[in-house]
Amino acid sequence: MNELKKTSGKEITSTLRLHQVRDRKVMGVPPVSKVYLMCYSTSSPLENSDKNSILDVPLLKNYLSKLENYPINNIAVALPIYSWGIVTNHAGKHKLINALSKKDLERREFKKITENEIEIQNDGFYFGNFLNKGFRIKVEEISEDQLKEVMKFLDKKIKNYEIVYYQLDSKFVDRIL
């Protein structure tokens, strides 16, 4: 990064993952003056967990518990405003379908298992994919309350910060404007 900065003559910025903040002694600190802290993807969507893999606020707070001590002060925060469906087949294999919401799962062909999960009742095409009877879809989406809780937490950790919303899709942008 230092070489890139020297060669380009430009300001170089970097993304900063949650584990890089928590484990900075092991991970190192990027040689930049500004970072974009990625406040999403707190776990893998393939873990068969009841947690939201896009944003688990208690886990995020744990990762960032010492954020105020991070040696780079110019921090922009990337917050998630996307959702997805995690499809699980009979063999336990997973696939993601982007931009699914709980509302999308309100169909008579689906049997509701939990608030966020359904089971396909008939083979067919759903959301541009052929899915078999018995496949399950778990939706993970981000609520306004989650975003507010994260921002309230970050307000205590960082003096001034920009917010970058990820992912800009009309389905999600209308909600925040």
Side-chain angles (χ1 to χ4, degrees), residues 64-85:
L64 300 179
S65 65
K66 298 197 180 345
L67 177 61
E68 65 275 12
N69 298 329
Y70 199 75
I72 298 174
N73 294 323
N74 192 357
I75 299 175
V77 175
L79 294 176
I81 57 168
Y82 62 94
S83 67
W84 57 32

Side-chain angles (χ1 to χ4, degrees), residues 25-65:
K25 288 183 179 16
V26 174
M27 303 303 298
V29 176
V32 297
S33 59
K34 181 177 185 174
V35 291
Y36 291 84
L37 178 61
M38 314 312 264
C39 290
Y40 56 86
S41 192
T42 49
S43 61
S44 169
L46 310 179
E47 288 181 352
N48 285 332
S49 171
D50 60 344
K51 296 187 186 284
N52 185 326
S53 66
I54 297 172
L55 179 60
D56 178 340
V57 177
L59 185 58
L60 176 127
K61 287 178 177 181
N62 180 281
Y63 272 99
L64 300 179
S65 65

